[in-house]
């Protein structure tokens, strides 16, 4: 049920919460407890909280979630990945808005209130993303929404740069799945996350489909979370993260990129991939990358079948899609945020 407080004035008379907040746990350990403590301290109270224990080998995840009586705990018997569990949470939820929060993301007390206020100011927008800070490095950004470069390499805007007040409310290419809010009906209508991705890149894939459908994603810089990052998957350079991230980037391109852009984007993507992984620090991953590329092309026929359905929903022009990307190579190399003004739809 929706979490309530003595000063709760916002819950609908029907008993249906305004928000469904879903936390997907897998070997999350103590970060999950901090995540839920911060969620429980939100000033906005009209939400239900779902924790999905994604068949974690660590029994502590379910035990931690059970410490919070206002949390609905769902225990899966198999690991559905972030994608499958994310879709499960959307189906199980009752709120108009669907909020995804990573178990290693710690929200400021007004995080939900700020997102809801932004939705009220911009009724034409149905997808929102947060300002993410690095949990262990005060003043350092973890991301200002996701950016798509013309090379087909997505990145978190501002990642690991100093937070010097550059964030402004505006449109970004994609929400980051660590702390996002989307109209639940829209999420389900678009098919939710692509479950073939399992983990990594699924939020950019969703963001790309939002772009194709003409649905903007708004960065709300005053909605702040503090993110550890990759706490459940062994770190950003783990074999799991490198393999799934590399494979899934190809699938994002194959599925979503309009045909006139494909001859430009795919060769650039391959060229950048070669350049990046020939650097000394990345050479140990070359074998893993080649395996990921092989898997990406092996799965391409199925991705292209899915592509037909995705492109049928496209409402944006090719020029609008190209304009939503960044063509400046310095943006990618410097991980610069790309935030554009919101225009009336």
């Amino acid at each position: 049920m929706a979490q309530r407080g003595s000063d709760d004035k916002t819950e609908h008379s029907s008993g249906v919460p305004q928000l469904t907040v879903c936390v997907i746990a897998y070997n999350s350990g103590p970060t999950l407890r901090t995540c839920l403590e911060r969620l429980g301290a939100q000033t906005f109270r009209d939400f239900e909280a779902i924790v999905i224990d994604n068949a974690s080998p660590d029994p502590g995840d379910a035990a931690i979630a059970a410490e919070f009586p206002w949390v609905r705990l769902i225990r899966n018997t198999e690991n559905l990945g972030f994608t499958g569990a994310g879709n499960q949470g959307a189906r199980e939820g009752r709120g108009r808005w669907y909020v995804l929060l990573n178990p290693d993301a710690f929200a400021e007390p007004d995080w939900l209130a700020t997102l809801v206020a932004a939705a009220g100011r911009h009724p034409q927008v149905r997808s929102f993303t947060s300002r993410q800070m690095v949990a262990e490095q005060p003043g350092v950004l973890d991301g200002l929404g996701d950016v798509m470069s013309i090379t087909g390499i997505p990145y978190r805007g501002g990642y690991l740069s100093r937070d010097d007040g550059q964030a402004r409310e505006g449109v970004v290419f994609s929400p980051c799945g660590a702390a996002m809010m989307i109209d639940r009906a829209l999420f389900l209508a678009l098919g939710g996350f692509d479950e073939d991705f399992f983990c990594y890149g699924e939020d950019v894939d969703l963001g790309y489909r939002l772009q194709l459908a003409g649905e903007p994603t708004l960065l709300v810089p005053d909605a702040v979370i503090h993110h550890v990052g990759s706490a459940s998957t062994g770190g950003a350079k783990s074999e799991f993260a490198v393999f799934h991230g590399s494979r899934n980037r190809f699938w994002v391109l194959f599925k979503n990129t309009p045909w006139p852009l494909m001859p430009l984007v795919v060769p650039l993507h391959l060229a950048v991939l070669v350049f990046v992984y020939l650097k000394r620090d990345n050479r140990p991953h070359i074998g893993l990358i080649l395996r990921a590329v092989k898997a990406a092309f092996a799965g391409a026929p199925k991705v292209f079948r899915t592509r037909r359905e995705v492109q049928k929903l496209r409402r944006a022009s090719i020029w609008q899609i190209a304009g939503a990307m960044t063509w400046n190579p310095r943006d990618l190399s410097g991980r610069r945020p790309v935030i554009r003004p919101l225009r009336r739809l």
Side-chain angles (χ1 to χ4, degrees):
M1 61 185 295
Q3 185 189 353
R4 297 185 62 101
S6 60
D7 58 346
D8 185 358
K9 304 294 184 183
T10 58
E11 185 163 352
H12 301 315
S13 59
S14 64
V16 176
Q18 192 168 350
L19 309 180
T20 293
V21 182
C22 180
V23 179
I24 300 165
Y26 183 85
N27 282 1
S28 301
T31 64
L32 177 61
R33 180 178 288 108
T34 305
C35 171
L36 295 178
E37 287 172 349
R38 299 290 181 86
L39 185 58
Q42 291 296 296
T43 58
F44 183 87
R45 310 294 286 182
D46 188 13
F47 69 92
E48 63 176 350
I50 298 174
V51 171
I52 299 178
D53 178 1
N54 216 8
S56 175
D58 181 359
D61 286 354
I64 289 169
E67 295 174 13
F68 300 85
W70 44 271
V71 167
R72 178 184 172 193
L73 174 62
I74 298 174
R75 301 192 194 202
N76 286 341
T77 57
E78 62 177 311
N79 184 357
L80 303 180
F82 185 84
T83 56
N87 292 343
Q88 180 184 19
R91 292 190 301 268
E92 294 283 346
R94 298 177 299 143
R96 184 264 167 104
W97 295 100
Y98 185 46
V99 179
L100 282 157
L101 180 65
N102 273 13
D104 61 352
F106 314 137
E108 289 289 323
D110 63 348
W111 175 61
L112 288 178
T114 304
L115 289 173
V116 171
R121 289 195 308 275
H122 305 287
Q124 78 275 34
V125 178
R126 297 194 285 173
S127 173
F128 300 86
T129 196
S130 310
R131 174 159 58 106
Q132 299 176 193
M133 306 299 297
V134 176
E136 293 133 340
Q137 299 181 59
V140 176
L141 286 166
D142 181 70
L144 296 170
D146 288 345
V147 183
M148 176 63 77
S149 70
I150 194 59
T151 66
I153 303 289
Y155 65 92
R156 264 181 275 163
Y159 180 65
L160 296 185
S161 65
R162 297 297 304 179
D163 183 12
D164 58 6
Q166 71 269 49
R168 66 185 187 278
E169 189 172 273
V171 174
V172 295
F173 188 88
S174 168
C176 177
M180 61 175 283
M181 182 175 85
I182 186 170
D183 184 291
R184 191 168 62 88
L186 174 63
F187 179 84
L188 292 171
L190 290 175
F193 292 128
D194 187 331
E195 297 189 15
D196 287 333
F197 281 49
F198 193 78
C199 189
Y200 288 102
E202 71 290 319
D203 48 359
V204 178
D205 173 65
L206 174 66
Y208 211 141
R209 284 182 280 134
L210 286 165
Q211 290 284 347
L212 293 170
E215 295 280 353
T217 292
L218 191 73
L219 168 70
V220 185
D222 291 336
V224 179
I225 62 106
H226 302 268
H227 188 211
V228 175
S230 301
S232 299
T233 57
K237 291 290 187 178
S238 69
E239 286 193 10
F240 181 92
V242 171
F243 175 83
H244 284 82
S246 301
R247 182 197 65 180
N248 293 351
R249 281 194 293 269
F250 277 100
W251 286 355
V252 170
L253 300 187
F254 294 161
K255 189 167 78 171
N256 299 295
T257 307
W259 279 120
L261 291 174
M262 288 279 266
L264 174 64
V265 175
V266 173
L268 284 174
H269 186 82
L270 286 167
V272 171
L273 197 67
V274 170
F275 175 77
V276 169
Y277 281 98
L278 284 180
K279 290 184 176 181
R280 181 173 298 178
D281 291 347
N282 292 322
R283 287 176 190 170
H285 296 294
I286 287 178
L288 184 61
I289 293 300
L290 291 175
R291 186 158 61 87
V293 172
K294 182 179 179 181
F297 280 87
K302 182 177 181 181
V303 175
F304 277 102
R305 288 194 296 272
T306 305
R307 174 190 172 86
R308 298 190 193 104
E309 300 305 314
V310 169
Q311 297 299 321
K312 285 179 183 178
L313 299 176
R314 180 162 69 88
R315 299 293 179 266
S317 70
I318 293 168
W319 299 113
Q320 287 172 319
I321 297 301
M325 300 177 179
T326 178
W327 292 62
N328 187 341
R330 291 185 177 182
D331 288 343
L332 175 58
S333 61
R335 301 193 181 190
R336 295 178 179 174
V338 177
I339 306 166
R340 296 184 169 93
L342 175 65
R343 294 181 174 86
R344 291 189 177 274
L345 302 181

